[in-house]
Amino acid sequence: MAASKFQAFWNHPAGPKTIHFWAPTFKWGISIANIADFAKPPEVISYPQQVVVACSGIIWARWGMVITPINWNLSSVNAAMSVTGVCQLTRKIRHDYFSDEKSATASLEG
Amino acid sequence: MATAAKAFWNSPVGPKTTHFWGPVANWGFVLAVRPYMDTPHSLCPYRLIIGAFAIACCGVELWMLSVLPNTDTVSESDSGCLTRENFLDTGVQVTLGLVDMNKPPEMISGNMTAAMCVYSGLFMRFAWMVQPRNFLLLACHASNETVQLYQLSRVARAQGYLENKQPEGQQ
């Protein structure tokens, strides 16, 4: 029973033998890299990159929900990605504009 | 000669369609950002021309956004075709990838850059294999891949990984 289900998954036209599986699956790597970067100081966070991560995630999360059939895999990975992007942006904005004046202005000049 | 020109003009991916102007507009947008990443400069003619071209491309991009189908209207078999979401996403990625090229290497995240390199490589393959073939997505990820590999090399160099082999190790 389990074997045949696994066979069905393994041989699926969008299964692990195809790019249609690995491309969205690897997108989790971007979220994981971003979560690893939570440990880095806010000065090294890049505004453009995190904006891309957040916006791209939101665009594709919505796309996954409006196509037929709904692609939960794609939507979930992109939603998670955009959440990590927004978290990083929050950290950076908080550091640049809402923390004490001295460190904020120093990093803005840098 | 004239027939070839006519064939191009009337082509389903020619200058009367969004399939042509999309990639052109994206690259114009991308070129536009580069000069303005440096310190402020006087109004040299080169920058004025690039700026005017960029503004024209932004106009084209806005027009394209208005004529592209929303993904809801596109069927599953057409899933790789040019939609608003594809277009926005590729534009956002390519532009902001290039904006980051001047950052000092200490500010580049090795984790993210490496993840981006694998991600864009996989999606270049995806864009190629999807039905119908999605050349805009392919071009977007090819350029992101290039930029991310360059950034990765800058990080590696700054951390001493790309030095010539010497008797004493770097670190």
Side-chain angles (χ1 to χ4, degrees), chain B residues 77-93:
Chain B
S77 58
D78 231 6
S79 64
C81 80
L82 190 63
T83 63
R84 248 178 220 155
E85 283 82 0
N86 277 354
F87 184 69
L88 271 176
D89 194 39
T90 57
V92 158
Q93 291 209 29

Side-chain angles (χ1 to χ4, degrees), chain A residues 19-20 22-23 26-27 30 33 36-37 40 43-44 46 48-49 52-53 56 59-60 62-63 67-69, chain B residues 71-72 76 79 85-86 88-89 92-93 96 99-100 103 106-107 109 111-112 115 118-119 122-123 125-126:
Chain A
I19 187 66
H20 300 280
W22 287 109
F26 185 77
K27 223 163 171 181
I30 296 182
D37 279 351
K40 295 225 170 116
E43 292 88 7
V44 300
S46 156
Q49 186 175 69
V52 171
V53 165
S56 175
I59 290 169
W60 291 103
R62 181 185 170 274
W63 186 84
I67 53 170
T68 328
Chain B
T71 314
D72 340 31
E76 169 73 3
S79 64
E85 283 82 0
N86 277 354
L88 271 176
D89 194 39
V92 158
Q93 291 209 29
L96 296 183
V99 157
D100 254 354
K103 263 196 326 188
E106 303 76 33
M107 278 188 68
S109 158
N111 290 335
M112 274 301 272
V118 180
Y119 157 77
L122 288 173
F123 272 93
R125 171 71 181 165
F126 176 83

Side-chain angles (χ1 to χ4, degrees), chain A residues 9-50:
Chain A
F9 167 69
W10 184 251
N11 294 315
H12 195 277
K17 291 194 271 188
T18 71
I19 187 66
H20 300 280
F21 176 82
W22 287 109
T25 305
F26 185 77
K27 223 163 171 181
W28 282 108
I30 296 182
S31 305
I32 291 165
N34 227 2
I35 291 168
D37 279 351
F38 283 167
K40 295 225 170 116
E43 292 88 7
V44 300
I45 296 173
S46 156
Y47 273 127
Q49 186 175 69
Q50 296 303 325

